Amino acid sequence: MEKRPYRDLNTYFKSLFGCRVHKVTVDAGLSCPNRDGTLSTGGCIYCNARGSGTGARQKGLSITQQIERAKDRIARRFKTNKLLAYFQSFTNTYAQVERLQAMYDEALAVENVVGMAVGTRPDCVDDTKLDLLESYARDHLVWVEYGLQSAHNRTLVRINRGHDVACFEKAVAATRGRNIRICAHVILGLPGESRKDMLATADFIAAMALDGIKLHLLYVVRGTAMETLHSKGAYRCLEQREYAELVCDFIERLPDTTIIQRLTGDPHPRELVAPDWSLQKKETVDLIHTLFREKNTWQGKRYRGGNPS
């Protein structure tokens, strides 16, 4: 396989475990303070009632059942039996610590689960919850994935995010030194953001020297405030090549130690409003790789110790 121009997740896993490790999405049935009325009832403007979840918990499937159901399919398709439990939907530290411990214990007790990734918000962690995650990190691989989305407070207000950039910085600082890997989620194409704004977010992430990043395309989903904006002509989706070029430019500015966990997202076909090309994930990833070659560039090319050129 051709060496990728960025530090990808599969290579990272193989360096740790000597083989492929596959993430299994887990729905723990938690909510979000930006949806249940604590902060607001509408949530972020791009998020619908599913909250990127599978709905498995509503169907009555336990965490163990969700992982076990995925095992055979993953073994056949990806030729691996090592798994990482990924708590993805909504906010997976948004509960009392006793409930969180029961969730995490259940996932890590499943045979061949070598660790977990916990998707959450930076305003939903504290020392007690981080102490709990640190206790698992002694014997397992533990990632915390914080949703940042943008390094611009004006954008966070526009998308009804419910926290500011300083909150993200505080959560990262509290997580460091605990043997917990830290990943940031960033969305490209947010309303009102220019290319310059998005690359400034790349510089912000680079300066923080995080362990990983996930890049997402902003696609429009049914039942969201974004759908209303789009239907009124108040929002233009990025074009496929435009997005691919932004991804290359973004990754150029990151240190080569940062693990690129995702290049784009996976919309639910029945929920997607626009853009149609976002369903063509392989084509988009192939285009990103082609652009890296055409530009003769790579991760870190424009990173200079926190001062991208």
Side-chain angles (χ1 to χ4, degrees), residues 216-289:
H216 300 262
L217 163 73
L218 181 60
Y219 45 77
V220 182
V221 174
R222 300 188 194 284
T224 64
M226 279 303 308
E227 182 182 18
T228 302
L229 281 177
H230 183 264
S231 67
K232 293 178 178 179
Y235 176 72
R236 180 190 72 83
C237 297
L238 294 174
E239 299 293 335
Q240 187 180 38
R241 186 177 182 90
E242 184 181 15
Y243 177 77
E245 289 178 342
L246 277 166
V247 170
C248 290
D249 293 344
F250 197 106
I251 292 175
E252 274 187 326
R253 306 175 84 87
L254 300 179
D256 59 13
T257 53
T258 303
I259 299 160
I260 311 302
Q261 291 208 21
R262 170 165 283 188
L263 296 176
T264 188
D266 295 292
H268 295 283
R270 292 190 299 274
E271 297 179 352
L272 181 69
V273 174
D276 291 340
W277 65 261
S278 62
L279 295 172
Q280 301 164 356
K281 183 174 181 179
K282 183 179 185 304
E283 181 181 301
T284 301
V285 171
D286 287 346
L287 177 57
I288 291 167
H289 291 164

Side-chain angles (χ1 to χ4, degrees), residues 27-30 54-63 66 99 106:
D27 186 337
L30 299 186
T54 63
R57 192 68 176 189
Q58 288 186 336
K59 297 173 184 176
L61 294 176
S62 69
I63 290 170
Q66 292 175 52
R99 181 175 179 185
E106 182 177 355

Side-chain angles (χ1 to χ4, degrees), residues 178-196:
R178 295 175 178 268
N179 199 33
I180 299 169
R181 276 69 166 184
I182 304 170
C183 179
H185 287 225
V186 169
I187 298 176
L188 300 181
L190 290 168
E193 289 212 340
S194 64
R195 177 182 180 277
K196 181 179 179 181

